Amino acid sequence: MSALPGVKALVFDTFGTVVDWRSGIARDARTFLAKHKRDDIDPLGFADAWRKKYQPAMEAVRSGKRPFTRLDVLHRENLDALLADHGISAGKAELDWLNRAWHRLDPWPDAIPGLLRLRAKHFLAPLSNGNILLLANMAKRAGIPWDAVLGAEAAQAYKPQREAYTRTAEILGLEPGEVALVAAHNGDLAAARKAGLKTAFVLRSHEHGPDQATDLRADSDWEAIVGSFEELADRLGC
Amino acid sequence: MSALPGVKALVFDTFGTVVDWRSGIARDARTFLAKHKRDDIDPLGFADAWRKKYQPAMEAVRSGKRPFTRLDVLHRENLDALLADHGISAGKAELDWLNRAWHRLDPWPDAIPGLLRLRAKHFLAPLSNGNILLLANMAKRAGIPWDAVLGAEAAQAYKPQREAYTRTAEILGLEPGEVALVAAHNGDLAAARKAGLKTAFVLRSHEHGPDQATDLRADSDWEAIVGSFEELADRLGC
């Protein structure tokens, strides 16, 4: 018996759930910082500081203060601010390269083996706040087998806004309850459930490094609670 | 020397260019018509008649008479009208199945081998008037290796409206001149060129059957003019 009866499409939070953004950003930040002789800046701290500007930037869109703006643009504005904080100036090509570090993140080890199994029985798509190009370049580089690239840009709304979930189901031609969100973040799952989607929690205990304090357990009775995408495939009989 | 210097993404018209819509629709129409004991109706003629309602339906959106409406919905309205013309009534499940015949079209024999070669050097996406789900289901069934599923629904505009082309380039983070449209239709290519895209014509001399009278040759000096996707891969050094 499947843990998600009636579910036809699985949609995935991406940063933290499918890919390890912190190590990936730190890897490319290290190269950039070394070139600028700023070995005094910890690349992992740089990654955390860049990511910290993510929610406030999206909040400006969610609140209606600015029109929908894709994440590549928000990431770039945040990068400019972060570099200004550190007194670093760099050329356009270099900044474009560093900003695209978000396109070059590596999946957690279980992600692709699990997705390849899940794909046989389900339609798979990211439901990420990343923009289409970011997610598509990431998938092309890492071999992530999405059936379509969805998310905030396709829905023109940032999670956890209700429309991000409901418009994704609509694009898929499905009722919300025929779609399940897979995510490592309880807050994302709570918003998805409120919008009518089914929910699957996957534990990613090192997304924020060894001292992670959040999302170390399921906060609610999500329909599936697993430790990896492979375990999710087991639970769904794939 | 590549026929399309500076081009980073190839976007493809789909119905007629990548897939043989006429045979595919006729195949499933034949099953449907036999079930309704209407062997008097020619399945190929049925496919042509259904397709004939396609441009007028999109025109209502292009002209602003109705808001953007995805192609699955337009196809279904057109199917209802076509069946009414023939005095056929059918149940919802059956109609849903027949309407999804557009999701089950087969590629021309050279399409997938060509795309697999082109994919090594280019970002590949459909730029079709088909909606995201239609194109994604088609790709999943037939193994079409798109890097992302774009088109009218992502751009919220139907070709040949300028925005269908320019917004696609924008989603790809590219200048229009860094994107080439591959299409079997001179009109589509003319609109793409006007919007700043590069253009590649591929001859599909049997899209409309043995008596096809349109698009049997390139009407203009498109940057590439080829007889198959494999020839396009040759011309681009892939």
Side-chain angles (χ1 to χ4, degrees), chain B residues 2-238:
Chain B
S2 163
L4 295 167
V7 164
K8 292 174 185 164
L10 300 174
V11 295
F12 293 76
D13 172 64
T14 300
F15 301 121
T17 298
V18 178
V19 296
D20 175 7
W21 60 267
R22 192 169 183 259
S23 307
I25 297 301
R27 176 194 61 211
D28 288 350
R30 185 173 291 114
T31 302
F32 175 89
L33 293 168
K35 209 191 136 201
H36 286 266
K37 309 209 185 310
R38 290 300 301 269
D39 300 331
D40 59 307
I41 302 169
D42 170 36
L44 286 165
F46 185 93
D48 290 336
W50 196 357
R51 180 70 172 178
K52 211 173 168 183
K53 296 177 187 290
Y54 168 74
Q55 288 297 344
M58 289 187 298
E59 194 49 37
V61 173
R62 288 190 287 243
S63 68
K65 256 178 54 186
R66 66 188 289 188
F68 185 82
T69 306
R70 60 178 64 91
L71 194 60
D72 273 343
V73 175
L74 303 182
H75 273 154
R76 178 56 180 277
E77 293 172 359
N78 294 344
L79 176 60
D80 288 345
L82 182 60
L83 294 177
D85 292 347
H86 287 297
I88 299 173
S89 60
K92 186 183 176 305
E94 223 184 342
L95 292 172
D96 287 348
W97 174 82
L98 185 54
N99 202 48
R100 293 251 178 140
W102 294 96
H103 298 212
R104 294 185 296 264
L105 303 175
D106 290 319
W108 299 109
D110 59 283
I112 291 183
L115 290 170
L116 288 170
R117 288 172 57 194
L118 292 164
R119 199 185 184 208
K121 287 201 190 173
H122 299 87
F123 189 102
L124 305 185
L127 199 187
S128 164
N129 283 333
N131 50 298
I132 294 172
L133 180 65
L134 183 162
L135 296 166
N137 278 342
M138 177 195 284
K140 184 164 182 134
R141 175 181 172 279
I144 306 174
W146 300 131
D147 290 311
V149 175
L150 304 179
E153 188 176 7
Q156 294 282 299
Y158 277 117
K159 298 188 294 178
Q161 276 192 306
R162 183 183 181 84
E163 292 74 18
Y165 307 97
T166 54
R167 286 187 197 147
T168 297
E170 214 187 302
I171 290 169
L172 292 169
L174 296 173
E175 295 300 318
E178 296 174 311
V179 180
L181 177 73
V182 181
H185 309 124
N186 287 284
D188 197 359
L189 294 169
R193 175 175 277 184
K194 234 173 154 176
L197 278 70
K198 298 291 194 300
T199 51
F201 175 86
V202 55
L203 178 65
R204 297 297 188 197
S205 59
H206 287 69
E207 173 184 358
H208 296 281
D211 304 321
Q212 180 165 326
T214 55
D215 292 312
L216 291 172
R217 62 190 59 77
D219 281 353
S220 192
D221 59 338
W222 313 123
E223 281 80 7
I225 297 171
V226 296
S228 69
F229 285 10
E230 297 242 48
E231 191 184 339
L232 183 61
D234 292 342
R235 296 286 306 283
L236 301 186
C238 296

Side-chain angles (χ1 to χ4, degrees), chain A residues 22 126 130 136 140 147 155 183 190 209 215 221-222 234:
Chain A
R22 191 169 183 260
K140 185 165 181 132
D147 290 311
D215 291 312
D221 60 338
W222 312 123
D234 291 343

Side-chain angles (χ1 to χ4, degrees), chain A residues 1 169 175 198:
Chain A
M1 168 73 188
E175 294 300 319
K198 298 291 193 302

